[in-house]
């Protein structure tokens, strides 16, 4: 049923109607790590004994096979292998995963295939094998080049290992992201900028700079460390943005900086409200169909996930996104992009007309949080700084 714009947005009698489906990405979750970091709220679990590599790889392949009817015939443009610490897997396991992906899916010839990796010595020794398996983009969780701060963050590598890992990575990959964090326990502004300058010595294609936040269900949330105050964190952020801009990096998303044409294509698909199939323990999916948008979550605990896959039931929960929730969900992603989005993208990715959120757009514009013309809608500098306030405008009560 086509949308009738004269109906209210929250009408329960309406559905969505897509003329074309969004681009599709694949996310593969590896849930294990050597040690759980005190700030981490991702679905990661410490390896207590041996990692069940073969069993888990087989489960991933079966999970993908079971999902095929929902994405049949759709090309996959990016693959992201995240965790946890995916680099704990062997190169042989990675090769089997990606070989299965190529056999089961119409993977785009130029697909971006990213692997998250730990800078630890053991993982770095596998980089050549990961490249041979088909990985063409590496994301290194550096976080800091300062030993004191790495220890405070519970990282298992030190600064020298971090530098060595980047050097090894650059020998095998020509597209690398380095993750950095600022606003760390007792970190000074000078120390935060030292980390950025240390990263720039390697001239990585991409940098992700995150402000440490205390997330629920983490050790840091239960036992908060002494963190820099908001004003100092804001000063760190401004100086980081200025430094990276001077070095030719485009600040294209809240925490992402890239050399020209080196933006993360996988993450851009998230932020532009594209589709993604997530396989693996705790993985999330967002899949569009001609008449609905579906969200899925796999079983979170690795052992539960492995058991459920043997029963061909890896999906723990599934629900259709309500039509009235689509504008907020779109804005929650797209307004993270500093340059905003083409006004036509809203209709393409939600099947709704911008007229349905005309009042919200006007309110955000009047408050100085949003700017728009006949082609593009984007957050202002104020809107980027107070992104939660901007998003609140589109959250329907």
């Amino acid at each position: 049923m086509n949308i009738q714009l004269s109906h209210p947005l929250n009408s329960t009698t309406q559905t969505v109607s897509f003329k074309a489906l969004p681009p599709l990405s694949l996310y593969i979750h590896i849930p294990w790590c050597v040690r759980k970091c005190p700030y981490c709220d991702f679905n990661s679990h410490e390896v207590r004994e041996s990692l069940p590599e073969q069993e888990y790889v087989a489960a991933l392949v079966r999970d993908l096979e079971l999902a095929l009817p929902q994405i049949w015939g759709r090309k996959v443009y990016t693959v992201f292998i995240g965790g946890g610490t995916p680099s704990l897997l062997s190169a042989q396991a990675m090769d089997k995963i990606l070989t299965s992906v190529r056999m089961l899916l119409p993977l785009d010839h130029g697909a971006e295939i990213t692997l998250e990796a730990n800078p630890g010595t053991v993982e770095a020794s596998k980089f050549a094998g990961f490249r041979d398996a088909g990985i063409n983009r590496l994301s290194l969780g550096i976080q800091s080049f300062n030993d004191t701060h790495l220890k405070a963050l519970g990282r298992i590598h030190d600064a020298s290992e971090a530098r060595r890992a980047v050097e090894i990575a650059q020998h095998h990959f020509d597209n690398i992201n380095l993750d950095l964090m600022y606003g760390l326990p007792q970190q000074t502004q000078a120390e935060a900028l030292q980390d950025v300058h240390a990263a720039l010595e390697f001239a990585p294609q991409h940098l992700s700079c995150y402000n440490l936040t205390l997330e629920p269900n983490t050790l840091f949330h239960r036992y908060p460390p002494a963190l820099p105050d908001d004003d100092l964190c804001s000063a760190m952020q401004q100086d980081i943005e200025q430094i990276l801009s001077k070095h030719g990096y485009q600040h294209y998303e809240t925490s992402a900086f890239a050399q020209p044409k080196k933006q993360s294509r996988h993450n851009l698909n998230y932020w532009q409200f594209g589709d993604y199939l997530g396989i693996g323990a705790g993985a999330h999916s967002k899949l569009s169909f001609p008449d609905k948008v579906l969200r899925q979550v796999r079983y979170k605990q690795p052992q539960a996930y492995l058991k459920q896959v043997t029963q061909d039931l890896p999906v723990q929960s599934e629900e259709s996104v309500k039509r009235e929730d689509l504008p907020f969900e779109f804005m929650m992603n797209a307004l993270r992009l500093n340059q905003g989005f083409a006004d036509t993208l809203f209709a393409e990715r939600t099947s709704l007309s911008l007229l349905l959120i005309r009042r919200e757009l006007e309110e955000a514009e009047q408050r100085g949080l949003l700017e728009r013309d006949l082609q593009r809608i984007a957050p202002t500098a104020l809107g980027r700084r107070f992104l939660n306030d901007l998003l609140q405008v589109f959250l329907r009560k």
Side-chain angles (χ1 to χ4, degrees):
M1 176 165 50
N2 291 327
I3 297 168
Q4 301 298 318
L5 298 184
S6 59
H7 290 180
L9 184 61
N10 62 358
S11 171
T12 58
T13 64
Q14 296 175 46
T15 181
V16 296
S17 180
F18 286 97
K19 296 179 180 178
L21 299 182
L24 179 65
S25 293
L26 173 66
Y27 175 77
I28 302 172
H29 191 74
I30 312 299
W32 291 284
C33 54
V34 175
R35 184 169 64 199
K36 180 81 170 180
C37 296
Y39 59 86
C40 177
D41 68 338
F42 295 130
N43 182 34
S44 59
H45 306 265
E46 292 186 7
V47 178
R48 300 296 184 183
E49 298 175 357
S50 60
L51 193 154
E53 181 175 275
Q54 292 184 357
E55 184 182 6
Y56 193 75
V57 170
L60 288 174
V61 175
R62 183 57 183 157
D63 192 353
L64 182 56
E65 290 173 342
L66 293 168
L68 289 181
Q70 295 183 310
I71 57 169
W72 197 255
R74 296 180 65 180
K75 182 175 287 190
V76 172
Y77 293 93
T78 68
V79 179
F80 195 101
I81 306 170
T85 306
S87 53
L88 287 176
L89 294 187
S90 67
Q92 293 77 16
M94 204 63 63
D95 180 69
K96 185 172 182 179
I97 292 170
L98 292 177
T99 297
S100 298
V101 168
R102 296 187 192 95
M103 290 176 59
L104 294 170
L105 297 173
L107 188 63
D108 185 67
H109 177 71
E112 174 192 271
I113 305 177
T114 302
L115 174 73
E116 284 187 334
N118 197 29
T121 302
V122 175
E123 289 88 342
S125 67
K126 305 174 186 176
F127 288 173
F130 291 149
R131 176 69 203 205
D132 292 341
I135 303 297
N136 55 30
R137 183 175 182 270
L138 200 69
S139 181
L140 281 172
I142 301 294
Q143 315 312 354
S144 176
F145 289 96
N146 181 303
D147 282 337
T148 299
H149 295 141
L150 287 171
K151 185 176 181 180
L153 290 173
R155 303 296 289 173
I156 62 172
H157 66 272
D158 59 25
S160 63
E161 286 181 305
R163 289 183 169 86
R164 180 59 179 154
V166 180
E167 292 171 356
I168 296 173
Q170 289 186 319
H171 184 71
H172 300 289
F173 297 90
D174 57 10
N175 194 1
I176 294 172
N177 169 66
L178 301 183
D179 277 350
L180 295 178
M181 300 179 75
Y182 64 92
L184 307 181
Q186 299 183 349
Q187 185 183 44
T188 67
Q189 185 167 357
E191 288 171 334
L193 301 185
Q194 286 169 6
D195 277 343
V196 174
H197 286 296
L200 287 172
E201 291 176 9
F202 298 101
Q205 286 72 31
H206 193 284
L207 276 164
S208 300
C209 298
Y210 303 101
N211 187 355
L212 174 63
T213 55
L214 303 183
E215 301 291 346
N217 302 315
T218 64
L219 188 64
F220 271 3
H221 190 265
R222 292 194 295 271
Y223 306 100
L227 300 179
D229 61 29
D230 290 344
D231 289 340
L232 181 52
C233 287
S234 179
M236 290 177 180
Q237 178 182 346
Q238 291 179 18
D239 283 354
I240 289 170
E241 292 174 1
Q242 291 176 2
I243 291 169
L244 293 180
S245 177
K246 289 179 181 178
H247 283 79
Y249 287 81
Q250 299 171 351
H251 185 194
Y252 70 100
E253 186 270 342
T254 302
S255 304
F257 304 80
Q259 293 178 353
K261 300 182 179 180
K262 291 297 183 179
Q263 293 92 340
S264 168
R265 287 159 51 194
H266 185 87
N267 287 341
L268 273 176
N269 192 43
Y270 287 152
W271 297 321
Q272 293 171 345
F273 210 50
D275 278 359
Y276 50 92
L277 170 66
I279 61 172
H284 291 238
S285 300
K286 177 241 170 188
L287 300 172
S288 299
F289 299 84
D291 61 348
K292 63 183 177 182
V293 177
L294 197 65
R295 288 200 179 275
Q296 298 175 332
V297 182
R298 264 63 176 168
Y299 281 86
K300 184 175 181 179
Q301 293 295 327
Q303 289 305 317
Y305 169 77
L306 289 170
K307 179 180 179 181
Q308 293 298 133
V309 172
T310 64
Q311 300 174 23
D312 288 352
L313 296 169
V315 177
Q316 183 174 23
S317 64
E318 179 179 286
E319 63 177 0
S320 293
V321 180
K322 295 179 181 178
R323 182 174 177 269
E324 61 265 27
D325 292 337
L326 283 171
F328 175 73
E329 292 212 9
F330 175 91
M331 291 297 181
M332 186 170 59
N333 289 279
L335 290 178
R336 291 182 63 89
L337 295 169
N338 287 355
Q339 298 302 313
F341 57 92
D343 60 0
T344 55
L345 189 69
F346 180 82
E348 291 174 10
R349 300 296 158 86
T350 67
S351 85
L352 306 175
S353 169
L354 272 175
L355 293 174
L356 294 170
I357 54 169
R358 181 183 66 251
R359 284 178 293 184
E360 288 86 348
L361 290 170
E362 290 174 351
E363 177 184 342
E365 192 172 20
Q366 290 169 1
R367 292 172 58 181
L369 300 172
L370 195 74
E371 56 188 4
R372 55 182 175 144
D373 53 29
L374 296 178
Q375 295 182 317
R376 183 160 293 274
I377 298 170
T380 62
L382 185 66
R384 293 195 296 271
R385 183 177 179 185
F386 297 100
L387 182 58
N388 287 340
D389 291 335
L390 172 55
L391 294 177
Q392 193 72 28
V393 175
F394 298 94
L395 184 60
R396 290 180 174 263
K397 307 299 188 291

